[in-house]
Amino acid sequence: MLVVTTDNQYFYLANLLIKREYGTVKLEYLIIGKVRIKAMMLTKLSLKYDFSNKFLGEPGLTLRKQQDKTLEADVKNVLSYRAWIQAKTNNTFDHIRILGIVAAAKGAENYLPYTIPKIIQQISEIEMMADIIIGLNNGFECPAVIDRFTLRPDVQVIHLYTGEKVANNTPAKIFDNLMCEGKPYCITNIDFPPTKYRIFVVHQQEGQYSAGKIRVLGDIYGSLLIKSIDNGWIPPAILVTFDAESQFLVEHKYSFIEPDSNGLKIIINQLKNQSGIDILGVKHKFLVYQKAMLDKLEVLVPNFSEDLPPIQWFLDIVHGRFSSFMTKPGGGTFGKTDIIISLLTVIAESYPGSRCEDSHLTILAEYAGFKGDILIDVVATNRTPKVTDMTTDNPPKKAWIEQIYRWTNSVQGLKLLYGEHNIKKIVDDGLPWWLPLTKKIEIFKHIIDTNNNLFTIVKKLKFLIIAFFTYRQIKKRSIQNPDVLEGKEAKAFW
């Protein structure tokens, strides 16, 4: 978010310029003092009117140039971290193990009892081992779930504890004892015979600055991993980020998902066989979840046959296929460990208000020159509400709409940070009307699928119309309330 300190004369001037150029407008916000001016196409306006240092802090620096400069600085920081990691490890990595990282909060106990064993099983099928880090956010605990992992003879569970987090962007020190005494803990490489699977459970201390996914990831990446590398740890060559409900499954032509398939195997083999690829994402697959029993424990599992809400249905079709929908999802991104650590360390330490760290990572990776792709034949399961589900707000709201609203808020924050001109072709919060006609036709063909009967085609057209108009309403709301990504005003999000 751009904050400009000025007096009433400069406020009047900015307001006058905007009204003269666009009339009554209401897209992006220019923040001047404590006054918000609704401004359409602010980045275009800044190109025409060269705001002085009284507006932007540096002579002749337009908003667009400021956004470019911020992006350039963040990319430089990412590359600096990567160079440091490569120097510390002598560019040598562990090719026997995979590093997996998941942040967890209330509700994760409904998924982890079966998703962690599933991931371990998939890794074992490719004859590799794993270090899995589970970050329990802001005092959240799920002892019954963790105890289940200790029953496995091939798993070692290591409990770690964070000290006090003194600021929202400062990683807390991590210790191997509840009192947080002695030297901070560092991961080490295993002597033979190795433990096949190590699960590090990071119990993040509850505190003023702890709540939020990016905050616990900041402790894991910026403290545990960075300090372990500094202490001589050689990390696995491949790192995978996932969510509590993530399962990596194979999907055939957007029509059939194999529940017992091994999508992780396909991704890992792709990374191994094509050394030029730095990061691979999977397609996110929205699914409605339902209750089930697992060894006398109630869990939530995906229902592969239930209809999705309109926007989530649309996003499933276009994700990974078209520009603006190329985010490497937080629920399923695989890549070179030094690269992903560098990206998420920078995001966590610079933007503690980020709730779409996956979109943020995708943008920085693109501009840092890292080569990546999305494999559309592999999906990561991602929970979405039923169409009829309501939030607990007063008054209640439609849960599926609020899920998309939260995401568009985060994208608005990224637009203000880096500029829409820099991120539009990677991630956007609207329908891609700017794409060439041929691409629009291709999207339409994917949506309609002429192999369907007339009833199904009409139903899909209805869904598309609902998605379009609902998207417009959501975007209007999100423009008025973009996420604050940095500073003391940055909020905690999941």
Side-chain angles (χ1 to χ4, degrees), residues 357-382:
E357 82 291 339
D358 48 2
S359 296
H360 207 148
L361 177 150
T362 306
I363 293 165
L364 291 179
E366 175 73 16
Y367 283 94
F370 302 140
K371 303 300 181 183
D373 201 357
I374 294 177
L375 291 188
I376 60 176
D377 295 330
V378 179
V379 300
T381 53
N382 187 11

Side-chain angles (χ1 to χ4, degrees), residues 357-414:
E357 82 291 339
D358 48 2
S359 296
H360 207 148
L361 177 150
T362 306
I363 293 165
L364 291 179
E366 175 73 16
Y367 283 94
F370 302 140
K371 303 300 181 183
D373 201 357
I374 294 177
L375 291 188
I376 60 176
D377 295 330
V378 179
V379 300
T381 53
N382 187 11
R383 186 186 177 188
T384 190
K386 296 180 181 179
V387 175
T388 56
D389 285 348
M390 304 296 287
T391 68
T392 56
D393 299 329
N394 188 16
K397 302 173 183 176
K398 293 183 178 180
W400 67 273
I401 291 178
E402 294 307 297
Q403 183 183 47
I404 301 298
Y405 172 62
R406 291 191 295 272
W407 176 70
T408 55
N409 278 7
S410 65
V411 175
Q412 286 298 322
L414 289 173

Side-chain angles (χ1 to χ4, degrees), residues 70-195:
T70 300
L71 177 57
E72 182 182 355
D74 286 346
V75 167
K76 185 177 180 180
N77 202 7
V78 168
L79 295 175
S80 177
Y81 263 112
R82 189 193 186 198
W84 178 86
I85 292 172
Q86 290 182 333
K88 278 290 180 180
T89 61
N90 196 27
N91 205 19
T92 301
F93 297 93
D94 183 350
H95 294 274
I96 298 175
R97 307 180 78 84
I98 293 173
L99 179 60
I101 298 177
V102 57
K106 184 178 179 180
E109 69 276 8
N110 294 313
Y111 316 104
L112 292 176
Y114 66 90
T115 57
I116 294 293
K118 175 82 171 182
I119 289 172
I120 288 176
Q121 176 191 341
Q122 290 181 331
I123 292 173
S124 70
E125 289 175 5
I126 57 176
E127 299 182 346
M128 295 185 72
M129 294 175 280
D131 288 335
I132 297 174
I133 302 174
I134 304 174
L136 304 180
N137 182 225
N138 196 34
F140 166 70
E141 297 289 344
C142 51
V145 175
I146 304 303
D147 288 345
R148 292 171 64 91
F149 302 149
T150 64
L151 300 177
R152 295 181 56 125
D154 56 352
V155 170
Q156 178 188 10
V157 175
I158 300 168
H159 291 273
L160 304 175
Y161 306 86
T162 70
E164 181 184 4
K165 196 173 183 69
V166 298
N168 60 16
N169 64 340
T170 302
K173 294 180 180 179
I174 295 178
F175 302 86
D176 61 0
N177 63 90
L178 184 58
M179 300 304 294
C180 297
E181 296 175 340
K183 293 183 179 180
Y185 180 85
C186 290
I187 303 173
T188 58
N189 295 98
I190 304 175
D191 295 328
F192 287 90
T195 302

Side-chain angles (χ1 to χ4, degrees), residues 12 29 60 148 150 173 246 311 318 374 384 408 423 458 460:
Y12 174 78
Y29 277 78
R148 292 171 64 91
T150 64
K173 294 180 180 179
S246 295
I311 295 179
V318 297
I374 294 177
T384 190
T408 55
I423 75 171
V458 171
K460 288 186 174 184

Side-chain angles (χ1 to χ4, degrees), residues 5-45:
T5 57
T6 183
D7 56 27
N8 289 335
Q9 289 180 330
Y10 285 99
F11 164 76
Y12 174 78
L13 174 61
N15 196 17
L16 179 64
L17 292 176
I18 292 167
K19 283 188 175 181
R20 179 189 303 167
E21 190 72 9
Y22 297 104
T24 303
V25 291
K26 54 178 181 179
L27 277 186
E28 294 183 355
Y29 277 78
L30 173 62
I31 312 298
I32 301 184
K34 295 182 179 180
V35 184
R36 288 187 173 185
I37 306 173
K38 293 181 179 180
M40 185 178 184
M41 306 299 289
L42 187 55
T43 52
K44 291 184 179 179
L45 177 67

